[in-house]
Amino acid sequence: MDIGLAQWQFLLALLTGALLLFVVMWIAWHRVAERREAERRIAAARVRSGHVPLEIPTVRAGLHRSGDSVPDTLPGWFIQGKGEHSIVDEQPRIRVRYVDPHGRKAECTMQVEHLDLQKRLLTGRGELPGDTHRIPLHMITGARVAESGQRFNIDTWVDAVRVARRRRGQI
């Protein structure tokens, strides 16, 4: 079993090509990751500056929020110009996946009643009478809007609620 010079050269060229391909893929992957991170940071900064993205549930209201507003599901409220503004819905109905205090995965559909920004705690009532949930935000693994099933980013929503409360002078 003699390996000739031509076979060594072939193996060396193959190894060099594989290494070069690995380096090129690694550089491309890092550039894509950096671009995604930059887009995420820009979106978070826009939310902190007051921009309300379309994936966050909103309500129609004047400058001071009234409790009887209906959820705004159409972006047409921006165009109709009725003297009302679209503000963040602080009490959406969402389906939440979380880890309970015993370490088990759980899921519930809840109407949010209160978001405590200092304690980072979400309080709401479930579908059954007397079914109350108090979920720490760090235990939430995923959320969706209950009616549409659209993904719901809890962190973006919390930032938007914080900005809305600051603008109303509640923080």
Side-chain angles (χ1 to χ4, degrees):
M1 293 240 153
D2 256 346
I3 296 180
L5 183 62
Q7 290 175 337
W8 278 110
Q9 288 176 343
F10 175 74
L11 287 175
L12 186 61
L14 188 64
L15 185 61
T16 305
L19 185 61
L20 184 63
L21 180 65
F22 175 74
V23 169
V24 169
M25 293 296 289
W26 185 76
I27 290 171
W29 182 77
H30 274 285
R31 284 191 180 174
V32 168
E34 287 172 358
R35 185 177 302 130
R36 285 182 182 161
E37 178 65 19
E39 289 172 357
R40 187 197 62 75
R41 284 183 303 191
I42 289 169
R46 292 179 83 198
V47 167
R48 285 191 303 271
S49 69
H51 172 73
V52 180
L54 291 176
E55 64 263 11
I56 294 178
T58 58
V59 293
R60 298 176 289 118
L63 202 52
H64 298 288
R65 181 163 189 248
S66 61
D68 58 339
S69 298
V70 294
D72 177 18
T73 57
L74 301 173
W77 292 109
F78 294 106
I79 301 169
Q80 292 178 1
K82 295 184 177 179
E84 296 178 331
H85 301 283
S86 180
I87 62 171
V88 177
D89 185 7
E90 293 187 24
Q91 298 179 335
R93 188 165 179 267
I94 57 177
R95 187 172 50 242
V96 181
R97 290 183 184 154
Y98 62 98
V99 179
D100 68 2
H102 303 290
R104 295 182 304 238
K105 294 180 181 177
E107 183 174 341
C108 71
T109 301
M110 65 187 288
Q111 177 71 42
V112 176
E113 290 181 348
H114 181 69
L115 171 65
D116 191 339
L117 293 173
Q118 281 73 32
K119 294 180 182 177
R120 298 196 47 84
L121 189 70
L122 188 64
T123 305
R125 53 187 157 72
E127 296 173 330
L128 300 174
D131 188 18
T132 304
H133 299 280
R134 292 175 48 112
I135 306 170
L137 293 178
H138 71 277
M139 300 299 275
I140 296 174
T141 59
R144 294 190 177 268
V145 177
E147 289 81 24
S148 65
Q150 178 183 0
R151 288 187 182 187
F152 186 79
N153 189 331
I154 292 286
D155 296 328
T156 304
W157 176 69
V158 167
D159 286 340
V161 168
R162 182 177 290 119
V163 169
R165 288 181 183 175
R166 187 178 314 127
R167 285 189 173 182
R168 288 194 307 264
Q170 293 179 345
I171 292 182

Short mmCIF file of all heavy atoms in Angstrom, two decimals, residues 10-34:
data_model
loop_
_atom_site.label_atom_id
_atom_site.label_comp_id
_atom_site.label_asym_id
_atom_site.label_seq_id
_atom_site.Cartn_x
_atom_site.Cartn_y
_atom_site.Cartn_z
N PHE A 10 -3.08 15.21 -4.22
CA PHE A 10 -4.54 15.26 -4.33
C PHE A 10 -5.19 15.43 -2.94
O PHE A 10 -6.08 16.25 -2.75
CB PHE A 10 -5.08 14.01 -5.01
CG PHE A 10 -6.57 13.95 -5.05
CD1 PHE A 10 -7.29 14.75 -5.91
CD2 PHE A 10 -7.27 13.08 -4.20
CE1 PHE A 10 -8.67 14.70 -5.93
CE2 PHE A 10 -8.65 13.03 -4.21
CZ PHE A 10 -9.36 13.85 -5.09
N LEU A 11 -4.72 14.64 -1.96
CA LEU A 11 -5.26 14.76 -0.60
C LEU A 11 -4.97 16.14 0.01
O LEU A 11 -5.83 16.73 0.68
CB LEU A 11 -4.69 13.66 0.29
CG LEU A 11 -5.22 12.26 0.05
CD1 LEU A 11 -4.47 11.25 0.92
CD2 LEU A 11 -6.71 12.20 0.34
N LEU A 12 -3.78 16.66 -0.24
CA LEU A 12 -3.43 17.97 0.27
C LEU A 12 -4.29 19.06 -0.38
O LEU A 12 -4.77 19.97 0.31
CB LEU A 12 -1.94 18.25 0.02
CG LEU A 12 -1.38 19.52 0.63
CD1 LEU A 12 -1.52 19.50 2.15
CD2 LEU A 12 0.07 19.71 0.23
N ALA A 13 -4.53 18.96 -1.66
CA ALA A 13 -5.38 19.93 -2.36
C ALA A 13 -6.82 19.83 -1.86
O ALA A 13 -7.50 20.85 -1.67
CB ALA A 13 -5.32 19.69 -3.87
N LEU A 14 -7.29 18.61 -1.64
CA LEU A 14 -8.64 18.40 -1.12
C LEU A 14 -8.79 18.99 0.28
O LEU A 14 -9.77 19.67 0.59
CB LEU A 14 -8.97 16.91 -1.12
CG LEU A 14 -10.41 16.52 -0.79
CD1 LEU A 14 -11.36 17.05 -1.85
CD2 LEU A 14 -10.52 15.02 -0.68
N LEU A 15 -7.81 18.75 1.14
CA LEU A 15 -7.82 19.29 2.50
C LEU A 15 -7.75 20.81 2.49
O LEU A 15 -8.48 21.48 3.24
CB LEU A 15 -6.66 18.70 3.30
CG LEU A 15 -6.60 19.08 4.77
CD1 LEU A 15 -7.85 18.59 5.49
CD2 LEU A 15 -5.35 18.52 5.41
N THR A 16 -6.93 21.37 1.64
CA THR A 16 -6.83 22.83 1.52
C THR A 16 -8.14 23.43 1.03
O THR A 16 -8.59 24.45 1.54
CB THR A 16 -5.67 23.21 0.56
OG1 THR A 16 -4.47 22.59 1.02
CG2 THR A 16 -5.49 24.70 0.48
N GLY A 17 -8.75 22.79 0.05
CA GLY A 17 -10.05 23.27 -0.45
C GLY A 17 -11.12 23.22 0.61
O GLY A 17 -11.93 24.15 0.74
N ALA A 18 -11.16 22.15 1.39
CA ALA A 18 -12.16 22.03 2.46
C ALA A 18 -11.92 23.09 3.53
O ALA A 18 -12.88 23.70 4.04
CB ALA A 18 -12.10 20.64 3.08
N LEU A 19 -10.67 23.33 3.87
CA LEU A 19 -10.34 24.36 4.85
C LEU A 19 -10.72 25.75 4.35
O LEU A 19 -11.28 26.56 5.09
CB LEU A 19 -8.86 24.30 5.21
CG LEU A 19 -8.38 25.24 6.30
CD1 LEU A 19 -9.10 24.93 7.61
CD2 LEU A 19 -6.88 25.12 6.49
N LEU A 20 -10.45 26.02 3.10
CA LEU A 20 -10.81 27.30 2.50
C LEU A 20 -12.33 27.49 2.47
O LEU A 20 -12.84 28.57 2.79
CB LEU A 20 -10.22 27.40 1.09
CG LEU A 20 -10.42 28.72 0.36
CD1 LEU A 20 -9.73 29.85 1.11
CD2 LEU A 20 -9.89 28.63 -1.05
N LEU A 21 -13.05 26.43 2.12
CA LEU A 21 -14.51 26.49 2.13
C LEU A 21 -15.04 26.74 3.54
O LEU A 21 -15.96 27.54 3.72
CB LEU A 21 -15.08 25.18 1.57
CG LEU A 21 -16.61 25.09 1.52
CD1 LEU A 21 -17.17 26.12 0.56
CD2 LEU A 21 -17.03 23.68 1.14
N PHE A 22 -14.45 26.11 4.53
CA PHE A 22 -14.85 26.32 5.92
C PHE A 22 -14.63 27.77 6.33
O PHE A 22 -15.49 28.38 6.97
CB PHE A 22 -14.07 25.37 6.83
CG PHE A 22 -14.32 25.61 8.29
CD1 PHE A 22 -15.52 25.22 8.87
CD2 PHE A 22 -13.38 26.25 9.08
CE1 PHE A 22 -15.76 25.44 10.21
CE2 PHE A 22 -13.60 26.48 10.41
CZ PHE A 22 -14.80 26.08 10.99
N VAL A 23 -13.50 28.36 5.98
CA VAL A 23 -13.20 29.75 6.34
C VAL A 23 -14.18 30.71 5.66
O VAL A 23 -14.69 31.64 6.30
CB VAL A 23 -11.73 30.10 5.99
CG1 VAL A 23 -11.47 31.59 6.09
CG2 VAL A 23 -10.78 29.33 6.88
N VAL A 24 -14.46 30.48 4.40
CA VAL A 24 -15.41 31.34 3.67
C VAL A 24 -16.80 31.24 4.30
O VAL A 24 -17.48 32.26 4.50
CB VAL A 24 -15.43 30.98 2.17
CG1 VAL A 24 -16.59 31.66 1.46
CG2 VAL A 24 -14.11 31.37 1.53
N MET A 25 -17.25 30.05 4.63
CA MET A 25 -18.57 29.87 5.26
C MET A 25 -18.61 30.52 6.64
O MET A 25 -19.62 31.12 7.01
CB MET A 25 -18.92 28.38 5.36
CG MET A 25 -19.12 27.70 4.03
SD MET A 25 -20.52 28.36 3.12
CE MET A 25 -21.83 27.72 4.12
N TRP A 26 -17.54 30.42 7.39
CA TRP A 26 -17.47 31.02 8.72
C TRP A 26 -17.57 32.54 8.63
O TRP A 26 -18.30 33.17 9.39
CB TRP A 26 -16.16 30.59 9.40
CG TRP A 26 -16.04 31.04 10.81
CD1 TRP A 26 -16.67 30.52 11.90
CD2 TRP A 26 -15.24 32.12 11.30
NE1 TRP A 26 -16.30 31.20 13.03
CE2 TRP A 26 -15.42 32.19 12.68
CE3 TRP A 26 -14.38 33.02 10.69
CZ2 TRP A 26 -14.79 33.14 13.47
CZ3 TRP A 26 -13.75 33.96 11.46
CH2 TRP A 26 -13.96 34.01 12.84
N ILE A 27 -16.86 33.14 7.68
CA ILE A 27 -16.91 34.59 7.49
C ILE A 27 -18.32 35.02 7.07
O ILE A 27 -18.86 36.00 7.59
CB ILE A 27 -15.85 35.04 6.47
CG1 ILE A 27 -14.45 34.88 7.06
CG2 ILE A 27 -16.07 36.48 6.02
CD1 ILE A 27 -13.33 35.08 6.05
N ALA A 28 -18.92 34.30 6.15
CA ALA A 28 -20.28 34.63 5.70
C ALA A 28 -21.28 34.51 6.84
O ALA A 28 -22.16 35.36 7.00
CB ALA A 28 -20.68 33.72 4.54
N TRP A 29 -21.15 33.46 7.63
CA TRP A 29 -22.08 33.27 8.76
C TRP A 29 -21.95 34.41 9.76
O TRP A 29 -22.95 34.91 10.27
CB TRP A 29 -21.79 31.92 9.42
CG TRP A 29 -22.71 31.61 10.54
CD1 TRP A 29 -24.00 31.17 10.45
CD2 TRP A 29 -22.44 31.74 11.93
NE1 TRP A 29 -24.54 31.01 11.69
CE2 TRP A 29 -23.59 31.36 12.63
CE3 TRP A 29 -21.32 32.14 12.66
CZ2 TRP A 29 -23.66 31.38 14.01
CZ3 TRP A 29 -21.39 32.16 14.02
CH2 TRP A 29 -22.55 31.77 14.69
N HIS A 30 -20.73 34.84 10.04
CA HIS A 30 -20.54 35.94 10.99
C HIS A 30 -21.07 37.26 10.44
O HIS A 30 -21.61 38.06 11.20
CB HIS A 30 -19.06 36.07 11.37
CG HIS A 30 -18.69 35.18 12.50
ND1 HIS A 30 -19.05 35.44 13.79
CD2 HIS A 30 -18.02 34.00 12.53
CE1 HIS A 30 -18.61 34.48 14.58
NE2 HIS A 30 -17.98 33.58 13.84
N ARG A 31 -20.94 37.49 9.16
CA ARG A 31 -21.49 38.72 8.58
C ARG A 31 -23.01 38.72 8.67
O ARG A 31 -23.62 39.74 8.98
CB ARG A 31 -21.04 38.88 7.13
CG ARG A 31 -19.62 39.34 7.03
CD ARG A 31 -19.28 39.73 5.63
NE ARG A 31 -17.89 40.16 5.57
CZ ARG A 31 -17.28 40.46 4.46
NH1 ARG A 31 -17.91 40.37 3.30
NH2 ARG A 31 -16.02 40.84 4.48
N VAL A 32 -23.64 37.61 8.39
CA VAL A 32 -25.10 37.52 8.50
C VAL A 32 -25.53 37.71 9.94
O VAL A 32 -26.50 38.42 10.22
CB VAL A 32 -25.60 36.17 7.94
CG1 VAL A 32 -27.05 35.93 8.28
CG2 VAL A 32 -25.39 36.12 6.43
N ALA A 33 -24.81 37.11 10.88
CA ALA A 33 -25.15 37.26 12.30
C ALA A 33 -24.99 38.72 12.75
O ALA A 33 -25.83 39.24 13.50
CB ALA A 33 -24.28 36.34 13.15
N GLU A 34 -23.94 39.38 12.31
CA GLU A 34 -23.75 40.79 12.66
C GLU A 34 -24.85 41.66 12.09
O GLU A 34 -25.34 42.58 12.75
CB GLU A 34 -22.39 41.28 12.16
CG GLU A 34 -21.21 40.74 12.93
CD GLU A 34 -19.88 41.09 12.30
OE1 GLU A 34 -19.88 41.72 11.21
OE2 GLU A 34 -18.85 40.72 12.88
#
